[in-house]
Amino acid sequence: MCKLAAEFPSRVVPALGLHPWYLQNCSKDWRKNLQELLEQNPKALIGECGLDRLKDVPPNLQKEIFAEHIYLAKEYKRPMLVHAVKAQNWLEGFWTSLKEVRFVLHSFSGSVELLERALSFGAYISFCPQTRARKNFKELAQAVPLQKLLLESDGPYQGNPADISALAKDVAECKNMELKELAAEVYKNSREFIDVR
Ligand SMILES: [Zn+2]
């Protein structure tokens, strides 16, 4: 990913971190390695990192490594991509430290209640093509303030870049606004989000 970013600096921004699905075999030097990579890639974001209760990865290990990522995001002043699945209760222990970094709950898959809680700590909220299949999609789309909304493919897991235009169209419809206006706002938010301070 860093190679691609070096080759296409205006199109690719890398994100570096340990995904909660793959923690058990991580090197014991992971923190030092990640710090080195962050130093070599001053525009890189941190992530995906986070919490996933559907995966058989020890909760304490997930929480410990997530906390380290938040710490690094603070230290290096990098935005953070957070993966959170069925983790509403676990997140409770992290909101106050998350509040100090710029973060997004990516491929949001929770309740409106979680969405509002996350927003109150400054979260950006990102929808992916699969979000449209959720029962509460319309409520979620209406509950996100325009200036906190991001859209993603989450490819190759949950869609591909070509699906984003249909997603944007549906979100615009739920919000009762013009697609063009929504697209411009999401683009602006995306630029702001990845802009390393
Ligand atoms: Zn994810």
Side-chain angles (χ1 to χ4, degrees):
M1 197 195 272
C2 294
K3 252 190 215 161
L4 273 177
E7 204 174 331
F8 305 102
S10 62
R11 287 173 175 262
V12 178
V13 178
L16 306 166
L18 294 187
H19 193 285
W21 294 357
Y22 310 107
L23 302 180
Q24 273 157 310
N25 299 318
C26 72
S27 139
K28 65 177 184 1
D29 292 330
W30 73 267
R31 198 180 191 284
K32 189 172 135 273
N33 295 341
L34 179 54
Q35 280 179 294
E36 276 171 19
L37 280 170
L38 289 169
E39 279 157 27
Q40 287 158 16
N41 297 276
K43 289 204 180 297
L45 317 186
I46 290 183
E48 285 182 36
C49 54
L51 306 165
D52 194 327
R53 273 174 88 165
L54 295 185
K55 284 284 161 177
D56 191 19
V57 178
N60 283 344
L61 182 65
Q62 292 195 43
K63 291 177 188 175
E64 182 195 320
I65 292 191
F66 184 41
E68 291 280 349
H69 281 73
I70 302 174
Y71 182 80
L72 289 173
K74 240 181 271 181
E75 188 180 327
Y76 287 86
K77 297 188 166 58
R78 305 293 173 91
M80 196 165 77
L81 308 175
V82 176
H83 172 105
V85 174
K86 302 269 179 222
Q88 184 159 359
N89 293 343
W90 292 0
L91 279 167
E92 285 303 316
F94 294 95
W95 291 128
T96 42
S97 44
L98 280 169
K99 198 178 180 198
E100 294 176 49
V101 301
R102 193 188 308 157
F103 71 103
V104 58
L105 292 188
H106 105 95
S107 288
F108 187 84
S109 63
S111 61
V112 172
E113 183 201 1
L114 172 63
L115 186 142
E116 282 170 352
R117 185 114 178 102
L119 287 167
S120 75
F121 292 97
Y124 283 78
I125 303 291
S126 179
F127 295 154
C128 73
Q130 292 295 322
T131 314
R132 284 186 299 169
R134 302 190 63 79
K135 272 194 292 210
N136 60 354
F137 172 62
K138 190 169 180 183
E139 290 166 82
L140 292 174
Q142 289 174 344
V144 189
L146 206 47
Q147 68 275 19
K148 288 295 186 178
L149 175 66
L150 298 172
L151 301 177
E152 65 181 296
S153 65
D154 200 16
Y157 302 100
Q158 305 205 61
N160 68 65
D163 301 325
I164 295 180
S165 55
L167 170 64
K169 193 168 155 274
D170 287 356
V171 175
E173 216 171 277
C174 295
K175 289 182 116 30
N176 203 10
M177 61 188 288
E178 293 291 325
L179 172 61
K180 242 172 111 178
E181 193 192 333
L182 180 107
E185 195 67 32
V186 170
Y187 181 72
K188 183 172 138 272
N189 297 344
S190 311
R191 298 300 299 236
E192 276 168 11
F193 185 81
I194 62 175
D195 184 28
V196 173
R197 283 172 270 200

Short mmCIF file of all heavy atoms in Angstrom, two decimals, residues 18-22 46-55 62 66 80-88 90-91 98 103-109 114 152 154 157-158:
data_model
loop_
_atom_site.label_atom_id
_atom_site.label_comp_id
_atom_site.label_asym_id
_atom_site.label_seq_id
_atom_site.Cartn_x
_atom_site.Cartn_y
_atom_site.Cartn_z
N LEU A 18 -3.10 -2.57 12.81
CA LEU A 18 -3.44 -3.98 12.98
C LEU A 18 -4.96 -4.13 13.04
O LEU A 18 -5.62 -3.60 13.94
CB LEU A 18 -2.84 -4.53 14.28
CG LEU A 18 -1.33 -4.62 14.36
CD1 LEU A 18 -0.94 -5.35 15.64
CD2 LEU A 18 -0.75 -5.35 13.16
N HIS A 19 -5.49 -4.88 12.10
CA HIS A 19 -6.93 -5.14 12.05
C HIS A 19 -7.28 -6.14 13.16
O HIS A 19 -6.54 -7.09 13.40
CB HIS A 19 -7.25 -5.72 10.67
CG HIS A 19 -8.71 -5.75 10.37
ND1 HIS A 19 -9.56 -6.67 10.95
CD2 HIS A 19 -9.48 -4.96 9.57
CE1 HIS A 19 -10.79 -6.44 10.50
NE2 HIS A 19 -10.76 -5.41 9.67
N PRO A 20 -8.43 -5.93 13.83
CA PRO A 20 -8.75 -6.81 14.97
C PRO A 20 -8.90 -8.30 14.61
O PRO A 20 -8.79 -9.15 15.50
CB PRO A 20 -10.09 -6.25 15.49
CG PRO A 20 -10.61 -5.37 14.42
CD PRO A 20 -9.42 -4.86 13.68
N TRP A 21 -9.10 -8.63 13.35
CA TRP A 21 -9.20 -10.05 12.99
C TRP A 21 -7.86 -10.76 13.04
O TRP A 21 -7.80 -11.98 13.10
CB TRP A 21 -9.72 -10.21 11.56
CG TRP A 21 -11.13 -9.75 11.34
CD1 TRP A 21 -12.00 -9.27 12.28
CD2 TRP A 21 -11.82 -9.75 10.09
NE1 TRP A 21 -13.19 -8.96 11.68
CE2 TRP A 21 -13.12 -9.24 10.35
CE3 TRP A 21 -11.47 -10.12 8.79
CZ2 TRP A 21 -14.06 -9.10 9.32
CZ3 TRP A 21 -12.42 -9.96 7.78
CH2 TRP A 21 -13.70 -9.47 8.06
N TYR A 22 -6.78 -9.99 12.95
CA TYR A 22 -5.47 -10.63 12.75
C TYR A 22 -4.48 -10.27 13.84
O TYR A 22 -3.36 -9.88 13.56
CB TYR A 22 -4.90 -10.23 11.37
CG TYR A 22 -5.88 -10.41 10.24
CD1 TYR A 22 -6.48 -9.33 9.62
CD2 TYR A 22 -6.22 -11.70 9.81
CE1 TYR A 22 -7.41 -9.50 8.60
CE2 TYR A 22 -7.14 -11.88 8.78
CZ TYR A 22 -7.73 -10.79 8.19
OH TYR A 22 -8.64 -10.97 7.18
N ILE A 46 -4.03 5.92 10.36
CA ILE A 46 -3.90 4.73 11.22
C ILE A 46 -5.17 3.90 11.07
O ILE A 46 -6.28 4.41 11.13
CB ILE A 46 -3.66 5.14 12.67
CG1 ILE A 46 -2.26 5.75 12.79
CG2 ILE A 46 -3.83 3.96 13.62
CD1 ILE A 46 -1.84 6.15 14.17
N GLY A 47 -5.00 2.60 10.84
CA GLY A 47 -6.15 1.71 10.77
C GLY A 47 -6.01 0.72 9.63
O GLY A 47 -4.98 0.70 8.96
N GLU A 48 -7.00 -0.08 9.39
CA GLU A 48 -8.10 -0.25 10.30
C GLU A 48 -7.64 -0.88 11.59
O GLU A 48 -6.85 -1.81 11.59
CB GLU A 48 -9.14 -1.21 9.69
CG GLU A 48 -9.98 -0.66 8.62
CD GLU A 48 -11.00 -1.72 8.15
OE1 GLU A 48 -11.51 -2.52 8.94
OE2 GLU A 48 -11.26 -1.73 6.94
N CYS A 49 -8.21 -0.39 12.67
CA CYS A 49 -7.99 -1.01 13.96
C CYS A 49 -9.34 -0.99 14.66
O CYS A 49 -10.27 -0.33 14.19
CB CYS A 49 -6.95 -0.24 14.74
SG CYS A 49 -7.34 1.51 14.89
N GLY A 50 -9.47 -1.70 15.75
CA GLY A 50 -10.76 -1.64 16.43
C GLY A 50 -11.14 -2.90 17.15
O GLY A 50 -10.28 -3.65 17.65
N LEU A 51 -12.46 -3.14 17.16
CA LEU A 51 -13.03 -4.17 18.02
C LEU A 51 -14.07 -4.95 17.24
O LEU A 51 -14.90 -4.34 16.55
CB LEU A 51 -13.71 -3.50 19.22
CG LEU A 51 -12.86 -2.52 20.03
CD1 LEU A 51 -13.74 -1.67 20.94
CD2 LEU A 51 -11.82 -3.29 20.86
N ASP A 52 -14.03 -6.28 17.35
CA ASP A 52 -14.99 -7.09 16.62
C ASP A 52 -15.41 -8.28 17.46
O ASP A 52 -14.65 -9.22 17.66
CB ASP A 52 -14.36 -7.56 15.30
CG ASP A 52 -15.39 -8.11 14.33
OD1 ASP A 52 -16.39 -8.71 14.79
OD2 ASP A 52 -15.21 -7.92 13.12
N ARG A 53 -16.64 -8.22 17.95
CA ARG A 53 -17.10 -9.31 18.83
C ARG A 53 -17.51 -10.55 18.08
O ARG A 53 -17.73 -11.58 18.70
CB ARG A 53 -18.28 -8.82 19.66
CG ARG A 53 -17.79 -8.15 20.91
CD ARG A 53 -18.92 -7.54 21.64
NE ARG A 53 -19.55 -8.48 22.56
CZ ARG A 53 -20.39 -8.09 23.51
NH1 ARG A 53 -20.67 -6.82 23.64
NH2 ARG A 53 -20.92 -8.97 24.30
N LEU A 54 -17.62 -10.47 16.75
CA LEU A 54 -17.99 -11.67 16.00
C LEU A 54 -16.78 -12.54 15.72
O LEU A 54 -16.91 -13.66 15.26
CB LEU A 54 -18.67 -11.29 14.67
CG LEU A 54 -20.01 -10.58 14.78
CD1 LEU A 54 -20.63 -10.38 13.41
CD2 LEU A 54 -20.98 -11.37 15.67
N LYS A 55 -15.59 -12.04 15.99
CA LYS A 55 -14.39 -12.82 15.69
C LYS A 55 -13.84 -13.43 16.96
O LYS A 55 -13.92 -12.84 18.04
CB LYS A 55 -13.31 -11.91 15.08
CG LYS A 55 -13.58 -11.57 13.65
CD LYS A 55 -13.27 -12.73 12.71
CE LYS A 55 -13.99 -12.51 11.38
NZ LYS A 55 -13.69 -13.52 10.38
N GLN A 62 -7.80 -7.57 21.91
CA GLN A 62 -8.38 -6.56 21.01
C GLN A 62 -8.37 -5.18 21.66
O GLN A 62 -7.99 -4.18 21.04
CB GLN A 62 -9.83 -6.91 20.66
CG GLN A 62 -9.98 -8.15 19.81
CD GLN A 62 -11.39 -8.24 19.22
OE1 GLN A 62 -11.94 -7.25 18.75
NE2 GLN A 62 -11.98 -9.43 19.23
N PHE A 66 -6.16 -1.98 20.43
CA PHE A 66 -6.93 -0.81 19.99
C PHE A 66 -6.49 0.44 20.77
O PHE A 66 -6.26 1.51 20.20
CB PHE A 66 -8.43 -1.08 20.17
CG PHE A 66 -9.32 0.01 19.67
CD1 PHE A 66 -9.07 0.68 18.48
CD2 PHE A 66 -10.47 0.37 20.38
CE1 PHE A 66 -9.92 1.70 18.01
CE2 PHE A 66 -11.32 1.38 19.93
CZ PHE A 66 -11.04 2.03 18.75
N MET A 80 -7.85 8.26 12.15
CA MET A 80 -7.90 6.82 12.42
C MET A 80 -9.17 6.18 11.86
O MET A 80 -10.27 6.72 12.00
CB MET A 80 -7.87 6.65 13.94
CG MET A 80 -7.55 5.27 14.35
SD MET A 80 -7.10 5.20 16.09
CE MET A 80 -8.67 5.32 16.78
N LEU A 81 -8.99 5.01 11.23
CA LEU A 81 -10.11 4.25 10.67
C LEU A 81 -10.48 3.16 11.66
O LEU A 81 -9.68 2.25 11.91
CB LEU A 81 -9.70 3.61 9.34
CG LEU A 81 -9.07 4.53 8.30
CD1 LEU A 81 -8.60 3.73 7.08
CD2 LEU A 81 -10.04 5.62 7.87
N VAL A 82 -11.68 3.24 12.20
CA VAL A 82 -12.07 2.30 13.26
C VAL A 82 -13.07 1.28 12.73
O VAL A 82 -14.11 1.62 12.15
CB VAL A 82 -12.69 3.06 14.45
CG1 VAL A 82 -13.18 2.08 15.51
CG2 VAL A 82 -11.68 4.04 15.05
N HIS A 83 -12.72 0.01 12.96
CA HIS A 83 -13.58 -1.12 12.63
C HIS A 83 -14.28 -1.52 13.92
O HIS A 83 -13.62 -1.88 14.89
CB HIS A 83 -12.69 -2.24 12.09
CG HIS A 83 -13.37 -3.54 11.88
ND1 HIS A 83 -13.71 -4.02 10.63
CD2 HIS A 83 -13.77 -4.50 12.76
CE1 HIS A 83 -14.29 -5.20 10.75
NE2 HIS A 83 -14.34 -5.52 12.02
N ALA A 84 -15.60 -1.42 13.95
CA ALA A 84 -16.33 -1.80 15.17
C ALA A 84 -17.54 -2.62 14.80
O ALA A 84 -18.43 -2.15 14.10
CB ALA A 84 -16.76 -0.55 15.94
N VAL A 85 -17.54 -3.89 15.22
CA VAL A 85 -18.66 -4.77 14.91
C VAL A 85 -19.21 -5.35 16.20
O VAL A 85 -18.47 -5.97 16.98
CB VAL A 85 -18.23 -5.90 13.93
CG1 VAL A 85 -19.37 -6.90 13.72
CG2 VAL A 85 -17.82 -5.31 12.58
N LYS A 86 -20.50 -5.14 16.44
CA LYS A 86 -21.17 -5.60 17.66
C LYS A 86 -20.39 -5.19 18.91
O LYS A 86 -20.31 -5.94 19.89
CB LYS A 86 -21.33 -7.14 17.64
CG LYS A 86 -22.10 -7.66 16.46
CD LYS A 86 -23.58 -7.78 16.77
CE LYS A 86 -24.34 -8.29 15.55
NZ LYS A 86 -25.59 -7.62 15.30
N ALA A 87 -19.80 -4.03 18.86
CA ALA A 87 -18.86 -3.65 19.91
C ALA A 87 -19.31 -2.44 20.71
O ALA A 87 -18.51 -1.78 21.37
CB ALA A 87 -17.49 -3.38 19.28
N GLN A 88 -20.60 -2.16 20.67
CA GLN A 88 -21.11 -0.96 21.34
C GLN A 88 -20.67 -0.88 22.81
O GLN A 88 -20.20 0.15 23.27
CB GLN A 88 -22.63 -0.91 21.24
CG GLN A 88 -23.21 0.36 21.82
CD GLN A 88 -24.61 0.67 21.28
OE1 GLN A 88 -25.14 -0.06 20.44
NE2 GLN A 88 -25.18 1.76 21.73
N TRP A 90 -18.17 -2.47 24.33
CA TRP A 90 -16.72 -2.34 24.44
C TRP A 90 -16.26 -0.91 24.14
O TRP A 90 -15.30 -0.41 24.74
CB TRP A 90 -16.01 -3.30 23.48
CG TRP A 90 -16.15 -4.75 23.81
CD1 TRP A 90 -16.83 -5.29 24.86
CD2 TRP A 90 -15.58 -5.84 23.09
NE1 TRP A 90 -16.73 -6.65 24.82
CE2 TRP A 90 -15.97 -7.02 23.76
CE3 TRP A 90 -14.78 -5.93 21.95
CZ2 TRP A 90 -15.58 -8.29 23.31
CZ3 TRP A 90 -14.40 -7.18 21.50
CH2 TRP A 90 -14.79 -8.35 22.18
N LEU A 91 -16.95 -0.27 23.20
CA LEU A 91 -16.54 1.09 22.84
C LEU A 91 -16.68 2.07 24.00
O LEU A 91 -15.98 3.08 24.05
CB LEU A 91 -17.37 1.59 21.64
CG LEU A 91 -16.91 1.12 20.26
CD1 LEU A 91 -17.98 1.41 19.22
CD2 LEU A 91 -15.60 1.77 19.85
N LEU A 98 -10.96 8.45 22.30
CA LEU A 98 -11.25 8.67 20.87
C LEU A 98 -11.57 10.13 20.59
O LEU A 98 -11.27 10.65 19.51
CB LEU A 98 -12.44 7.80 20.43
CG LEU A 98 -12.11 6.33 20.15
CD1 LEU A 98 -13.40 5.52 19.98
CD2 LEU A 98 -11.25 6.19 18.91
N PHE A 103 -11.49 10.48 14.02
CA PHE A 103 -11.73 9.08 13.69
C PHE A 103 -13.05 8.88 12.96
O PHE A 103 -13.96 9.71 13.05
CB PHE A 103 -11.70 8.21 14.96
CG PHE A 103 -12.88 8.39 15.89
CD1 PHE A 103 -13.90 7.45 15.94
CD2 PHE A 103 -12.97 9.51 16.72
CE1 PHE A 103 -14.99 7.61 16.79
CE2 PHE A 103 -14.07 9.68 17.58
CZ PHE A 103 -15.08 8.73 17.62
N VAL A 104 -13.10 7.75 12.25
CA VAL A 104 -14.34 7.39 11.56
C VAL A 104 -14.73 5.98 11.99
O VAL A 104 -13.88 5.12 12.13
CB VAL A 104 -14.17 7.47 10.02
CG1 VAL A 104 -13.04 6.57 9.51
CG2 VAL A 104 -15.47 7.10 9.30
N LEU A 105 -16.01 5.77 12.22
CA LEU A 105 -16.51 4.41 12.36
C LEU A 105 -16.84 3.96 10.94
O LEU A 105 -17.79 4.43 10.33
CB LEU A 105 -17.76 4.35 13.25
CG LEU A 105 -17.58 4.67 14.73
CD1 LEU A 105 -18.87 4.36 15.49
CD2 LEU A 105 -16.42 3.88 15.35
N HIS A 106 -15.99 3.08 10.41
CA HIS A 106 -16.13 2.75 9.00
C HIS A 106 -17.15 1.62 8.81
O HIS A 106 -17.42 0.85 9.74
CB HIS A 106 -14.75 2.40 8.43
CG HIS A 106 -14.53 0.95 8.22
ND1 HIS A 106 -14.75 0.35 7.00
CD2 HIS A 106 -14.14 -0.02 9.05
CE1 HIS A 106 -14.49 -0.95 7.12
NE2 HIS A 106 -14.12 -1.19 8.34
N SER A 107 -17.73 1.53 7.63
CA SER A 107 -18.80 0.54 7.33
C SER A 107 -19.75 0.43 8.51
O SER A 107 -19.96 -0.66 9.05
CB SER A 107 -18.20 -0.83 7.03
OG SER A 107 -17.58 -0.82 5.79
N PHE A 108 -20.31 1.53 8.88
CA PHE A 108 -21.12 1.58 10.10
C PHE A 108 -22.21 0.51 10.07
O PHE A 108 -22.96 0.39 9.10
CB PHE A 108 -21.75 2.97 10.25
CG PHE A 108 -22.45 3.12 11.57
CD1 PHE A 108 -21.73 3.49 12.69
CD2 PHE A 108 -23.80 2.85 11.70
CE1 PHE A 108 -22.35 3.59 13.93
CE2 PHE A 108 -24.44 2.96 12.93
CZ PHE A 108 -23.72 3.32 14.05
N SER A 109 -22.30 -0.25 11.17
CA SER A 109 -23.28 -1.35 11.18
C SER A 109 -24.05 -1.41 12.50
O SER A 109 -24.47 -2.46 12.93
CB SER A 109 -22.56 -2.69 10.94
OG SER A 109 -21.65 -2.93 12.00
N LEU A 114 -26.18 4.13 18.76
CA LEU A 114 -24.70 4.11 18.71
C LEU A 114 -24.18 5.25 17.84
O LEU A 114 -23.19 5.92 18.19
CB LEU A 114 -24.20 2.75 18.17
CG LEU A 114 -22.70 2.68 17.89
CD1 LEU A 114 -21.88 2.86 19.18
CD2 LEU A 114 -22.31 1.36 17.22
N GLU A 152 -17.80 4.80 1.41
CA GLU A 152 -16.65 3.96 1.03
C GLU A 152 -17.14 2.72 0.32
O GLU A 152 -18.31 2.34 0.45
CB GLU A 152 -15.89 3.54 2.30
CG GLU A 152 -16.76 2.64 3.18
CD GLU A 152 -16.08 2.21 4.47
OE1 GLU A 152 -15.08 1.50 4.40
OE2 GLU A 152 -16.60 2.58 5.54
N ASP A 154 -15.47 -0.24 0.98
CA ASP A 154 -15.01 -1.35 1.81
C ASP A 154 -14.67 -2.55 0.94
O ASP A 154 -14.86 -3.69 1.34
CB ASP A 154 -16.00 -1.72 2.92
CG ASP A 154 -15.31 -2.52 4.04
OD1 ASP A 154 -14.06 -2.50 4.10
OD2 ASP A 154 -16.01 -3.16 4.83
N TYR A 157 -14.38 -6.52 0.41
CA TYR A 157 -15.25 -7.29 1.31
C TYR A 157 -16.72 -7.01 1.09
O TYR A 157 -17.56 -7.91 1.11
CB TYR A 157 -14.89 -7.00 2.78
CG TYR A 157 -13.46 -7.31 3.08
CD1 TYR A 157 -12.51 -6.30 3.14
CD2 TYR A 157 -13.05 -8.63 3.26
CE1 TYR A 157 -11.18 -6.59 3.38
CE2 TYR A 157 -11.73 -8.93 3.50
CZ TYR A 157 -10.79 -7.90 3.56
OH TYR A 157 -9.49 -8.20 3.78
N GLN A 158 -17.08 -5.74 0.97
CA GLN A 158 -18.50 -5.41 0.97
C GLN A 158 -18.97 -4.64 -0.25
O GLN A 158 -20.09 -4.16 -0.28
CB GLN A 158 -18.82 -4.57 2.22
CG GLN A 158 -18.39 -5.25 3.50
CD GLN A 158 -19.20 -4.79 4.69
OE1 GLN A 158 -20.40 -4.95 4.72
NE2 GLN A 158 -18.55 -4.20 5.67
#
